[in-house]
Amino acid sequence: MAFTFAAFCYMLALLLTAALIFFAIWHIIAFDELKTDYKNPIDQCNTLNPLVLPEYLIHVFFCVMFLCATEWLTLGLNIPLLAYHIWRYMSRPVMSGPGLYDPTTIMNADILAYCQKEGWCKLAFYLLSFFYYLYGMIYVLVSS
Amino acid sequence: ALFISFNISAKCSYRFNNANIKINIYLPILIWWLIYRESLMHIISGHNMTHRDLCGDSSSTTTDSASPVPNSYESLEGGGYSGTSLRSPPAGVPAKQAPPFGYNYPTMHPAYQQNPAPKPNPSPSHGGYNPPGYQPYSQPFPSLSELSSALGGLGGVSELEAETLRPVNLLQERNILPPKRAPPPEPNLSNDLRKVNCSPDTFRCTLTNIPQTQALLNKARLPLGLLLHPFRDLTQLPVITSNTIVRCRSCRTYINPFVSFLDQRRWKCNLCYRVNDVPDEFMYNPVTRSYGEPHKRPEVQNSTVEFIASSDYMLRPPQPAVYLFLLDVSHNAVESGYLNVFCQSLLDNLEKLPGDTRTHIGFVTFDSTVHFYNLQEGLSQPQMLVVSDIDDVFIPTHDSLLVNLKESKELVKDLLNALPGMFTHTRETQSALGPALQAAYKLMSPTGGRVTVFQTQLPTLGAGLLQSREDPNLRSSTKNVLHLGPATDFYKKLALDCSGQQIGVDLFLLSSQYSDLASLACVSKYSAGSVFYYPSFHHIHNTAQKQKFQKDLQRYLTRKIGFEAVMRIRCTKGLSIHTFHGNFFVRSTDLLSLANVNPDSGFAVQMSIEESLADTSLACFQAALLYTSSKGKRRIRVHTLCLPVVSQLSEVFAGADIQAISCLLANMAIDRSISSSLSDARDALVNAVVDCLTAYRANGSNIQPSGLIAPAALRLFPLYVLALLKQKALRTGTSTRLDERVFSMCELKSQPLQQIMRMVHPDLYRIDNMTEQAALHLNDSVIPQPPLLQLTAEKLTREGAFLLDCGSVMYLWVGKCCNETFIRDVLGFQNYASLPSNMTEIPELQTTYSERTRAFISWLLESRTFLPAFHVVKDDASTKTSFFQHLVEDRTESAFSYYEFLLHIQQQMSK
């Protein structure tokens, strides 16, 4: 049993995924509040937009770590989400600041539903990957 | 505490079942969230309730912790919090068993019971009011208490339905157009309801029979939506002043003709079905001066009413009318000569600007710098202040740039007289529109009001500068059209800031070159303004445009205006709003924030059916517009529309309103072309027809298999869609300037229905042989009624003269061999050859022929607010292409003829 770089990656990913789960929950709450009329879309977009890039960067960061640790399977599992993030950010509306959400279109029922669904899916993904990283960490620690 | 925990567990199970997640660690977080939400709602609803208890009818007017925006008008119009949670459960909650949230009723019930017990009934003969077991009180209100069962059932109605369902083989029916513009279909309601229903000019639904479920709606493949023209100029409008405006206590619906009175003391809301008390004041009828007849009050007799609102509906004292004019004075602008026209027009209409003694006015001009005008009362002449620091524009002096119109009228007049001459020799070609707009925002933000921008070129300096994005070689490409969306979000952000400070921005674009309207229009789109565009405007070389500009300004300056407005659209429980179309900012799921509201803008709303409407037979929609009039009065205009709910697919088809459907589809197509691509939008339009006709074919059993069959109600559907595809906004293959295309999109999105229909499918009449047969006789004048002709060159003859009415422009096409009497008596020229090619009006000649023609044209223009530009087109003139492009049934190089289009649809259907 040895503490390898891969094990370190998994531990870091575990912590960061916990943070990502918070991000996902925060998004879900925010869109739910929009849907139920509690918040002004301008304020809500202003609070959400700065969170988008950090979330993506955290994800990119531990993907790169897994690449360095040559954990191909884990990397492979994360690549679809990575690609989705890149696509999502490329096709964002015209905006001068960072972020994805435009207060003039966010109240459109389709977009709102999409964002909510996206939030739930991400939450599910992060939760599953959280347990996967836990398993991966233990596995690496035990096997090496 | 017990209650809350129950709620949480219930919710948790739903959420996680939904997402298929096994949780253990994260439960605490979610519980924290739910508790946070619950408590928030508790605070909010509790707060609202207490407030309502105190002042009876108002909703929260203070800024509490729950409303993060201090100047939230949302809370004013009311309805937000507790109402919504009752009306629309969060997405995904299985609709049927969605229990009303626990926190809502417990707070509601005590409050409800705390109300002073109803006073002894003043008219004892009515039996009084007994809370534990009241007697259904149906006798005096037969029509109202039986509202929900009061559906048609008349003989004539079913005949009508049979007629609208008559199958029509489109491929065989050549003359499909009715001889007169068809009136909108009548909803299948009892006569009592039909009489009080909202006018279709104001409020129209795409399906006059609302399908019971979303599944049924999906089967019909028709869009469900509303077309609204809420601030339309009305000749007759009941205005009600009363201390308490009666509204439903849970969904905040205004009392309307479609509520039912359970007894004299209680009414049942027609949107959320809550039983409410009738306040004492409502028992007295000011019209008949009688007591005890709440169902005879004007609110219950008219579906369009206006209330004078009390201070409960204000966040601040009503603002005065404030007008700021932002004028481009660069070389390009001076060259086009618009300044002269504008100043003259404003001078003529200065007295007629809507407002009162508090009206304020200001002027800002800009080229590469921004110029302000000090119009302080007492100055001998206006003082110009130049701010050349456009990177950080500031207001040079704070008090005298916006001045009281009454007090400084002479100075304003001096300025307007001097302005056109002040910049005649300018060499400045740059335009700093962005900084000028920022200055306008700073100047106006303390009060709010209307900013009118005149721009003649691409903004080239400072914030918001734009580059030319149009490639003239691609104007007629059949491939994708690029750059339909904005290049920068500067204008959108500015518009949102403006909207927040109750500033509306109207844009007049008068340019001959590309000015990136797609970006500029955002400033009006999101601040509820309007956009006007005059391509290749020049005061000498283009007289038709100049006249149009003059006429438009005349109307624009004098039309009614509402400030700091919000509009909320409520609908029967089970229906929900999907998307809004028009110029506004969407504040929440059913609330539009309109910094300014004008009588010429229309709105469209897409709806969806979230819960089955099976237990009701009527669906109602209510649009409430709360605004400050130019006289500083807070007013609420309420429109209510009532429609029957049906369960059969054939009834849905029978009630389709094809004009409304086409307009809604146009709006959806424009959204699609911006968010996705133009070709996608065009395909979607064609598919809308294909799907709908396929659905009809699948539904009908007794239809012969050959041919293209449509129900009579939808027989114009393919024609209108073809016409839409040939609009400037959506056409491909025909050379279209990007700005004109974008302007056409803006028009389709923000015009009222009538105007859109004229634009999409213009009216063609032959007017050289109008007879008095079937003519209208109105106030001693005879108005001939020529039949509508189909829009095809086949209907034109060289011997005739034809009038094409496209809404914002009218063409009079004169054939080569047109009879000389017409040319002499109506147009005032000897023969065809002597007709000039640029005639823009019909002379007022004293012949019966001329009088009759003019009577007909002015009859066409009667109800219109903006007068169209008028062109006399000679058959051999170069301008005739602009006339022929409107003949939508004909084939063009790049587009189908009507018959080809039908064949195309048939082919698509058989796939």
Side-chain angles (χ1 to χ4, degrees):
Chain A
M1 189 161 164
F3 191 75
T4 59
F5 180 61
F8 171 70
C9 282
Y10 276 116
M11 282 174 84
L12 199 67
L14 207 59
L15 290 176
L16 292 178
T17 309
L20 290 183
I21 288 171
F22 271 104
F23 276 102
I25 292 177
W26 185 255
H27 273 78
I28 294 170
I29 297 175
F31 290 118
D32 198 77
E33 279 176 339
L34 270 184
K35 191 149 194 161
T36 40
D37 280 6
Y38 296 117
K39 285 273 174 75
N40 181 331
I42 299 181
D43 299 340
Q44 204 67 303
C45 288
N46 284 344
T47 53
L48 286 182
N49 275 332
L51 296 180
V52 174
L53 271 189
E55 182 195 330
Y56 289 7
L57 288 179
I58 289 174
H59 186 247
V60 168
F61 172 69
F62 65 72
C63 282
V64 171
M65 295 283 280
F66 285 127
L67 182 71
C68 298
T70 64
E71 287 292 324
W72 302 120
L73 177 66
T74 317
L75 187 65
L77 289 175
N78 274 299
I79 275 185
L81 184 65
L82 195 67
Y84 172 76
H85 279 165
I86 293 170
W87 170 81
R88 183 95 163 93
Y89 210 75
M90 299 285 276
S91 57
R92 70 182 191 136
V94 179
M95 285 170 79
S96 48
L100 285 175
Y101 308 107
D102 175 0
T104 57
T105 54
I106 193 75
M107 293 310 294
N108 182 317
D110 283 335
I111 296 180
L112 201 57
Y114 177 85
C115 291
Q116 265 184 320
K117 208 180 285 169
E118 187 192 25
W120 282 110
C121 291
K122 273 191 181 173
L123 181 63
F125 182 85
Y126 291 142
L127 275 174
L128 289 177
S129 49
F130 182 86
F131 293 111
Y132 173 75
Y133 297 148
L134 195 67
Y135 163 80
M137 184 184 72
I138 295 166
Y139 183 81
V140 170
L141 284 175
V142 170
S143 64
S144 57
Chain B
L2 238 170
F3 208 83
I4 289 174
S5 71
F6 168 74
N7 258 344
I8 288 169
S9 58
K11 272 204 164 173
C12 283
S13 64
Y14 135 67
R15 292 277 187 210
F16 300 125
N17 284 342
N18 212 24
N20 283 327
I21 306 162
K22 188 172 172 260
I23 32 146
N24 32 33
I25 318 174
Y26 296 97
L27 198 58
I29 302 164
L30 286 156
I31 289 179
W32 161 78
W33 161 42
L34 289 167
I35 291 176
Y36 154 81
R37 271 197 48 182
E38 302 297 283
S39 55
L40 188 72
M41 288 182 185
H42 238 319
I43 295 168
I44 294 163
S45 50
H47 177 95
N48 262 3
M49 289 319 295
T50 47
H51 229 270
R52 274 182 216 161
D53 291 340
L54 288 177
C55 30
D57 177 62
S58 82
S59 57
S60 137
T61 52
T62 50
T63 55
D64 52 63
S65 59
S67 112
V69 191
N71 60 347
S72 151
Y73 275 83
E74 189 167 1
S75 54
L76 277 194
E77 206 282 321
Y81 308 133
S82 55
T84 326
S85 50
L86 257 182
R87 259 201 334 277
S88 56
V93 178
K96 275 284 159 79
Q97 61 267 56
F101 296 150
Y103 46 79
N104 219 323
Y105 275 144
T107 47
M108 196 85 80
H109 270 302
Y112 181 55
Q113 284 156 9
Q114 272 161 26
N115 276 329
K119 293 186 185 112
N121 202 308
S123 48
S125 64
H126 287 157
Y129 169 71
N130 281 324
Y134 79 97
Q135 311 267 305
Y137 190 90
S138 58
Q139 274 302 316
F141 311 103
S143 63
L144 288 158
S145 56
E146 285 159 25
L147 258 190
S148 48
S149 60
L151 266 173
L154 302 161
V157 168
S158 54
E159 261 171 47
L160 198 82
E161 192 162 289
E163 166 55 27
T164 53
L165 272 176
R166 180 175 57 89
V168 178
N169 189 345
L170 295 173
L171 290 168
Q172 279 168 8
E173 196 112 339
R174 272 184 76 75
N175 294 317
I176 205 164
L177 216 58
K180 269 187 185 179
R181 211 158 242 290
E186 284 267 351
N188 184 6
L189 295 166
S190 71
N191 273 340
D192 292 344
L193 291 183
R194 204 181 294 184
K195 245 186 293 169
V196 292
N197 218 349
C198 198
S199 149
D201 292 335
T202 308
F203 213 146
R204 230 159 129 168
C205 185
T206 56
L207 303 176
T208 50
N209 290 331
I210 304 285
Q212 211 169 53
T213 57
Q214 181 72 30
L216 185 61
L217 177 62
N218 292 343
K219 249 194 229 164
R221 312 288 283 184
L222 287 168
L224 174 62
L226 303 170
L227 276 295
L228 278 138
H229 190 182
F231 203 52
R232 200 164 71 93
D233 289 327
L234 294 167
T235 45
Q236 198 195 0
L237 174 70
V239 179
I240 295 159
T241 319
S242 96
N243 291 333
T244 50
I245 297 172
V246 183
R247 299 172 68 179
C248 172
R249 288 174 61 88
S250 82
C251 69
R252 313 297 294 146
T253 298
Y254 296 83
I255 196 164
N256 60 67
F258 311 104
V259 304
S260 40
F261 283 90
L262 297 178
D263 55 47
Q264 212 175 27
R265 278 285 168 182
R266 298 186 310 158
W267 60 280
K268 190 171 167 194
C269 174
N270 53 337
L271 300 197
C272 68
Y273 312 119
R274 187 187 201 277
V275 177
N276 294 277
D277 295 338
V278 176
D280 254 345
E281 198 190 334
F282 203 73
M283 300 298 290
Y284 176 71
N285 186 348
V287 181
T288 59
R289 292 173 191 280
S290 54
Y291 193 84
E293 290 179 326
H295 58 289
K296 296 250 173 84
R297 290 266 302 194
E299 293 95 319
V300 189
Q301 292 291 319
N302 299 284
S303 56
T304 293
V305 289
E306 189 154 286
F307 295 100
I308 310 278
S310 58
S311 55
D312 300 333
Y313 292 84
M314 299 170 197
L315 290 170
R316 56 175 189 182
Q319 67 163 82
V322 183
Y323 304 110
L324 180 69
F325 296 93
L326 204 57
L327 306 163
D328 183 359
V329 291
S330 62
H331 178 74
N332 198 24
V334 174
E335 192 55 34
S336 76
Y338 89 89
L339 212 52
N340 225 332
V341 181
F342 164 74
C343 290
Q344 198 51 51
S345 193
L346 185 55
L347 273 174
D348 295 344
N349 293 303
L350 212 49
E351 311 289 337
K352 293 184 218 150
L353 280 180
D356 53 8
T357 50
R358 300 187 300 160
T359 306
H360 279 58
I361 194 166
F363 298 87
V364 172
T365 57
F366 63 96
D367 39 31
S368 63
T369 53
V370 182
H371 325 130
F372 297 86
Y373 296 88
N374 184 343
L375 300 167
Q376 180 79 60
E377 191 191 1
L379 284 176
S380 59
Q381 61 178 50
Q383 216 174 43
M384 180 166 153
L385 305 155
V386 180
V387 174
S388 53
D389 182 11
I390 53 167
D391 293 325
D392 180 23
V393 73
F394 60 91
I395 306 296
T397 153
H398 263 281
D399 39 0
S400 46
L401 299 177
L402 280 172
V403 290
N404 189 305
L405 181 57
K406 268 247 157 53
E407 289 162 8
S408 302
K409 189 166 274 169
E410 287 314 307
L411 277 174
V412 170
K413 282 184 177 165
D414 286 351
L415 178 65
L416 285 174
N417 282 320
L419 255 183
M422 279 164 72
F423 298 94
T424 37
H425 302 297
T426 182
R427 303 233 169 132
E428 205 55 76
T429 54
Q430 306 276 36
S431 159
L433 175 65
L437 279 169
Q438 285 171 330
Y441 167 68
K442 284 184 188 163
L443 202 54
M444 299 281 279
S445 45
T447 48
R450 182 178 78 187
V451 178
T452 313
V453 183
F454 293 84
Q455 172 73 6
T456 62
Q457 57 173 325
L458 207 61
T460 51
L461 274 185
L465 71 95
L466 297 168
Q467 259 101 35
S468 179
R469 296 190 289 166
E470 187 187 33
D471 180 355
N473 299 323
L474 296 179
R475 273 182 198 159
S476 57
S477 102
T478 48
K479 283 193 228 95
N480 238 338
V481 178
L482 299 170
H483 309 310
L484 292 174
T488 157
D489 67 342
F490 172 80
Y491 295 97
K492 177 162 54 182
K493 274 175 148 172
L494 191 76
L496 292 183
D497 290 341
C498 285
S499 177
Q501 301 298 327
Q502 310 299 339
I503 305 165
V505 183
D506 292 337
L507 176 68
F508 284 78
L509 185 63
L510 314 106
S511 72
S512 40
Q513 282 146 15
Y514 175 70
S515 311
D516 202 350
L517 187 61
S519 303
L520 291 182
C522 287
V523 78
S524 299
K525 226 184 239 174
Y526 302 111
S527 66
S530 27
V531 181
F532 300 82
Y533 179 47
Y534 304 87
S536 46
F537 177 87
H538 195 280
H539 64 128
I540 298 166
H541 303 318
N542 196 341
T543 42
Q545 281 296 16
K546 182 190 164 190
Q547 285 171 2
K548 175 98 178 90
F549 181 53
Q550 272 171 331
K551 286 182 212 162
D552 287 1
L553 268 181
Q554 158 80 23
R555 162 73 183 165
Y556 173 78
L557 293 171
T558 55
R559 72 183 177 186
K560 242 183 107 153
I561 181 168
F563 298 99
E564 40 187 9
V566 289
M567 180 162 77
R568 194 185 286 274
I569 298 173
R570 298 183 171 87
C571 35
T572 296
K573 193 179 163 195
L575 290 166
S576 76
I577 291 169
H578 187 277
T579 311
F580 290 100
H581 301 276
N583 289 355
F584 46 70
F585 172 60
V586 189
R587 271 295 303 279
S588 76
T589 41
D590 58 354
L591 186 83
L592 302 179
S593 139
L594 305 161
N596 285 180
V597 57
N598 67 69
D600 300 314
S601 58
F603 302 89
V605 185
Q606 266 170 269
M607 316 275 309
S608 56
I609 305 169
E610 303 237 304
E611 285 171 58
S612 165
L613 301 169
D615 46 359
T616 170
S617 58
L618 295 175
C620 292
F621 305 90
Q622 186 172 71
L625 178 74
L626 170 66
Y627 68 97
T628 302
S629 76
S630 50
K631 303 262 186 271
K633 280 262 163 25
R634 203 82 178 129
R635 286 164 167 250
I636 312 164
R637 190 173 290 187
V638 180
H639 305 283
T640 318
L641 178 74
C642 176
L643 295 172
V645 175
V646 297
S647 57
Q648 295 300 317
L649 189 54
S650 58
E651 293 171 295
V652 177
F653 282 123
D657 180 346
I658 190 57
Q659 297 197 345
I661 290 175
S662 309
C663 287
L664 188 64
L665 281 177
N667 276 307
M668 289 157 73
I670 285 159
D671 270 9
R672 177 70 72 86
S673 61
I674 293 171
S675 68
S676 171
S677 72
L678 194 63
S679 52
D680 265 17
R682 290 170 56 88
D683 289 348
L685 275 178
V686 177
N687 287 338
V689 184
V690 172
D691 290 347
C692 166
L693 295 186
T694 314
Y696 178 70
R697 190 175 59 184
N699 174 50
S701 51
N702 54 348
I703 295 167
Q704 64 272 39
S706 68
L708 188 63
I709 310 292
L714 290 172
R715 68 186 189 284
L716 293 176
F717 197 10
L719 179 60
Y720 285 157
V721 167
L722 180 66
L724 273 177
L725 292 175
K726 292 187 177 181
Q727 281 303 295
K728 271 187 186 159
L730 296 165
R731 71 187 180 188
T732 54
T734 314
S735 179
T736 313
R737 289 172 171 216
L738 194 51
D739 275 349
E740 289 185 27
R741 187 188 291 277
V742 171
F743 179 62
S744 174
M745 292 185 165
C746 293
E747 274 195 309
L748 283 176
K749 286 214 81 165
S750 63
Q751 298 283 339
L753 182 134
Q754 294 294 339
Q755 188 72 5
I756 295 180
M757 280 323 290
R758 268 190 224 107
M759 187 176 144
V760 171
H761 191 272
D763 299 335
L764 181 67
Y765 307 93
R766 179 168 182 169
I767 60 164
D768 66 316
N769 59 356
M770 290 189 294
T771 57
E772 305 222 339
Q773 239 181 355
L776 279 181
H777 296 265
L778 288 177
N779 317 328
D780 308 334
S781 61
V782 181
I783 298 153
Q785 298 285 298
L788 274 180
L789 299 176
Q790 280 178 271
L791 293 174
T792 162
E794 199 185 310
K795 298 282 177 192
L796 303 179
T797 63
R798 287 186 176 187
E799 288 79 38
F802 293 84
L803 184 76
L804 185 74
D805 175 10
C806 318
S808 60
V809 56
M810 259 188 191
Y811 298 96
L812 176 60
W813 182 84
V814 186
K816 262 187 190 143
C817 315
C818 181
N819 74 41
E820 304 241 320
T821 352
F822 180 80
I823 297 182
R824 196 180 54 240
D825 285 0
V826 178
L827 300 175
F829 285 88
Q830 278 314 305
N831 50 26
Y832 180 78
S834 59
L835 270 179
S837 59
N838 58 352
M839 253 179 100
T840 54
E841 54 195 356
I842 292 189
E844 292 196 12
L845 302 176
Q846 300 304 319
T847 58
T848 34
Y849 212 164
S850 168
E851 269 162 18
R852 204 188 296 162
T853 313
R854 281 183 289 121
F856 175 62
I857 293 177
S858 50
W859 176 75
L860 286 179
L861 299 181
E862 210 165 52
S863 60
R864 251 172 267 185
T865 50
F866 284 107
L867 297 179
F870 195 87
H871 294 278
V872 178
V873 180
K874 282 173 78 177
D875 188 26
D876 48 5
S878 56
T879 46
K880 76 173 181 184
T881 45
S882 56
F883 171 76
F884 279 100
Q885 70 178 356
H886 292 290
L887 300 181
V888 293
E889 288 191 31
D890 288 339
R891 188 161 193 275
T892 64
E893 286 163 36
S894 51
F896 288 131
S897 73
Y898 178 56
Y899 191 75
E900 285 170 326
F901 185 64
L902 292 179
L903 290 178
H904 175 69
I905 289 175
Q906 196 181 25
Q907 192 193 345
Q908 294 282 313
M909 279 170 70
S910 56
K911 259 185 198 167

